[in-house]
Amino acid sequence: MCKQQSNLSAGELIRDRIILEAKRMLVNFKLSVSAIAEMLNYYDSSYFVKFFKKNTGLTPEAFRKQYYKKQH
C-alpha cells in the first residue's frame, strides 16, 4: 500500500521520518547525540550514528555544525 501511494516502501518511509525527527532534534534542542538516539529508541548510540550517516552522508554532530555554520 505504501509503495502504491508514495512510491516508497514502508521501511523507506519509516527511515525518512526518523531522519527528519533526528535532524529537528539536532538543530532545535541542546541534546547530546546519545540522548537523541535514546529518544528515537536507538539504545546503541553508535548504531544511531551509523544509521544517520548512511542516510544523510554526515554524522549527527557534523550535521549540527553544518546547520549552525549556515545560520551564522
Side-chain angles (χ1 to χ4, degrees), residues 8-54:
L8 296 171
S9 70
E12 289 172 308
L13 288 171
I14 292 167
R15 283 187 294 276
D16 289 351
R17 178 63 188 166
I18 291 169
I19 292 296
L20 180 65
E21 189 65 17
K23 287 178 175 180
R24 184 185 71 80
M25 293 171 113
L26 285 163
V27 299
N28 291 318
F29 301 105
K30 294 185 187 294
L31 298 171
S32 69
V33 172
S34 295
I36 292 170
E38 192 170 325
M39 291 174 77
L40 295 173
N41 295 318
Y42 286 88
Y43 296 102
D44 180 354
S45 59
S46 64
Y47 180 77
F48 171 72
V49 170
K50 289 176 190 174
F51 168 79
F52 190 91
K53 186 172 183 176
K54 179 180 179 185

